[in-house]
Amino acid sequence: MSVIEVNNLTKSYAFGKGIFDVTFNVNSGEVVGFLGPNGAGKSTTMRHLMGFSIPDSGECKINGHDCAKEYYITKMNIGYLPGEPTLPQGLDGKAFVKMMEGLKGCHNDKLVESLCNRFELDLNQDIKKMSIGERRKLAVVTAFMSDPEVLLLDEPTSGLDPRMQEIFIEFIEEEKKRGKTILLSSHIFREVERLCDRIMIIKDGRIVASVSKDDISKGLKKTFEISFYNLASYESFSKLNYDFSERNREKLKVSIKLNNDSIDGFIKNIKNYNVKSFSEITMTLEDYFMKFYKTRGDFSE
Ligand SMILES: Nc1ncnc2c1ncn2[C@@H]1O[C@H](COP(=O)(O)OP(=O)(O)OP(=O)(O)O)[C@@H](O)[C@H]1O
Ligand SMILES: [Mg+2]
């Protein structure tokens, strides 16, 4: 069942910027990674889901309620972590939590305390004296303190140190096990790889790809690097009908791309050549998606 539904969402700003015809669903309990270069439209889409922006056309819904027209209902179910949390300056952490409890209509001291312990946040500090990371942690605590079913996390770990990033990822893994529905925008592939069931790419305001993580790993061709002891071996191997991504005559080295079905035949074949070394180069999710950042790209590779 779709918890988040975005249908043909369009919002255009000056100079051709904005989001155009954005359509996607996030099912109950699903964690979807929302990737894309700077200015692609991730935060704009999330702001529409929060009801902060009214679309030019199209709509977005959470649990069947329109995010623009029924924002007072939809917002109650959402934990939103904005890309750039702006927090009021004249308050300390405790007063801010209290203010947010009032706005969200929730009160759970135990949960607030456990979140603060987990993220090592002292609520007694004045917000204006907090570091960027501490402010981010305060935004995390207030996003999660109502134990929301739906999480919109806009670059949640930016500004957190590596240890805190790990603590945050572990926390989201637990939330995922508890069945939360999560849309997570990120530039950190390691984070996306660990947390997301599906990955969606937005570029220039348009969704250009949506694939499950399993399909990506099944579809990836493996790259093998082979170096030879002598030129004769290099030359005869180079003439074979493989998908070569590199041939280096000087270094007597080649790289070839293979899908899983052809690996066995390849291994049987290379024993006929004077092979000096042979290694698999693992292609990461990052390698795979980098092309979407550079060019339009496709999924045929
Ligand atoms: N209120 C606005 N007025 C004018 N232009 C806007 C407004 N909000 C967003 N934009 C433009 O829309 C585009 C998408 O911005 P958005 O913040 O959604 O990008 P993003 O994918 O979140 O990028 P980043 O990775 O840098 O956070 C950008 O070109 C931005 O300048
Ligand atoms: Mg953003």
Side-chain angles (χ1 to χ4, degrees):
M1 191 201 86
S2 286
V3 170
I4 300 176
E5 251 180 274
V6 177
N7 298 316
N8 308 103
L9 191 69
T10 298
K11 177 85 173 183
S12 61
Y13 299 114
F15 307 108
K17 306 280 187 187
I19 52 172
F20 308 95
D21 222 11
V22 168
T23 298
F24 67 88
N25 286 358
V26 183
N27 294 326
S28 176
E30 199 180 18
V31 183
V32 173
F34 200 20
L35 307 191
N38 293 132
K42 305 176 293 295
S43 300
T44 303
T45 306
M46 287 201 184
R47 280 200 299 271
H48 279 83
L49 284 163
M50 279 304 289
F52 296 153
S53 285
I54 307 296
D56 295 341
S57 58
E59 56 173 15
C60 45
K61 291 180 178 175
I62 291 186
N63 287 326
H65 297 286
D66 189 292
C67 299
K69 295 177 189 141
E70 297 172 280
Y71 62 90
Y72 45 90
I73 302 174
T74 54
K75 238 190 242 176
M76 287 307 185
N77 281 322
I78 307 176
Y80 173 53
L81 200 48
E84 289 169 30
T86 39
L87 304 172
Q89 295 292 303
L91 302 177
D92 66 5
K94 264 190 181 146
F96 181 67
V97 165
K98 211 164 175 357
M99 185 185 101
M100 292 306 289
E101 282 174 345
L103 288 173
K104 289 177 176 233
C106 66
H107 185 89
N108 186 340
D109 287 341
K110 270 205 168 140
L111 182 54
V112 171
E113 195 185 328
S114 87
L115 288 165
C116 289
N117 287 340
R118 185 158 196 162
F119 292 104
E120 299 169 12
L121 175 68
D122 176 6
L123 286 179
N124 292 307
Q125 294 177 87
D126 283 346
I127 290 175
K128 71 168 181 290
K129 291 185 188 156
M130 288 183 179
S131 70
I132 292 172
E134 284 163 342
R135 283 178 201 180
R136 170 70 60 175
K137 289 181 197 178
L138 181 57
V140 169
V141 169
T142 50
F144 286 89
M145 70 184 186
S146 59
D147 198 18
E149 287 307 311
V150 180
L151 295 160
L152 303 179
L153 308 175
D154 196 354
E155 296 185 45
T157 59
S158 79
L160 296 182
D161 68 40
R163 201 178 123 262
M164 268 305 143
Q165 286 187 3
E166 183 58 32
I167 289 173
F168 184 84
I169 291 173
E170 281 169 11
F171 173 65
I172 298 297
E173 281 172 338
E174 286 169 27
E175 291 291 287
K176 181 179 176 174
K177 279 195 198 124
R178 294 177 63 219
K180 301 291 175 81
T181 303
I182 305 177
L183 179 65
L184 176 143
S185 93
S186 177
H187 294 293
I188 304 170
F189 288 94
R190 186 178 57 90
E191 188 171 282
V192 173
E193 195 154 24
R194 261 180 63 186
L195 294 174
C196 300
D197 307 307
R198 186 154 57 85
I199 291 143
M200 214 162 51
I201 304 274
I202 185 165
K203 201 172 174 191
D204 300 329
R206 293 175 196 279
I207 304 284
V208 292
S210 173
V211 265
S212 79
K213 203 168 68 183
D214 287 350
D215 281 348
I216 297 170
S217 42
K218 272 187 226 146
L220 286 181
K221 276 189 176 179
K222 295 193 168 95
T223 300
F224 291 90
E225 195 176 88
I226 312 133
S227 69
F228 301 92
Y229 273 113
N230 52 49
L231 188 62
S233 285
Y234 166 84
E235 290 210 313
S236 52
F237 189 88
S238 297
K239 285 180 194 132
L240 298 177
N241 191 21
Y242 281 117
D243 178 6
F244 288 93
S245 49
E246 188 197 354
R247 286 190 186 94
N248 189 328
R249 194 171 190 272
E250 217 169 280
K251 293 188 176 162
L252 304 179
K253 196 176 83 180
V254 297
S255 297
I256 61 170
K257 286 184 188 167
L258 295 171
N259 53 31
N260 284 343
D261 298 343
S262 43
I263 292 176
D264 189 48
F266 160 71
I267 292 183
K268 284 179 182 139
N269 192 12
I270 55 164
K271 69 179 192 300
N272 302 317
Y273 299 84
N274 272 317
V275 172
K276 188 176 175 187
S277 72
F278 153 66
S279 57
E280 182 189 337
I281 302 166
T282 341
M283 193 177 182
T284 62
L285 197 65
E286 182 168 351
D287 300 323
Y288 193 56
F289 281 111
M290 218 28 136
K291 62 186 171 213
F292 280 93
Y293 285 71
K294 292 177 189 151
T295 61
R296 172 73 215 277
D298 61 46
F299 281 87
S300 57
E301 209 168 293

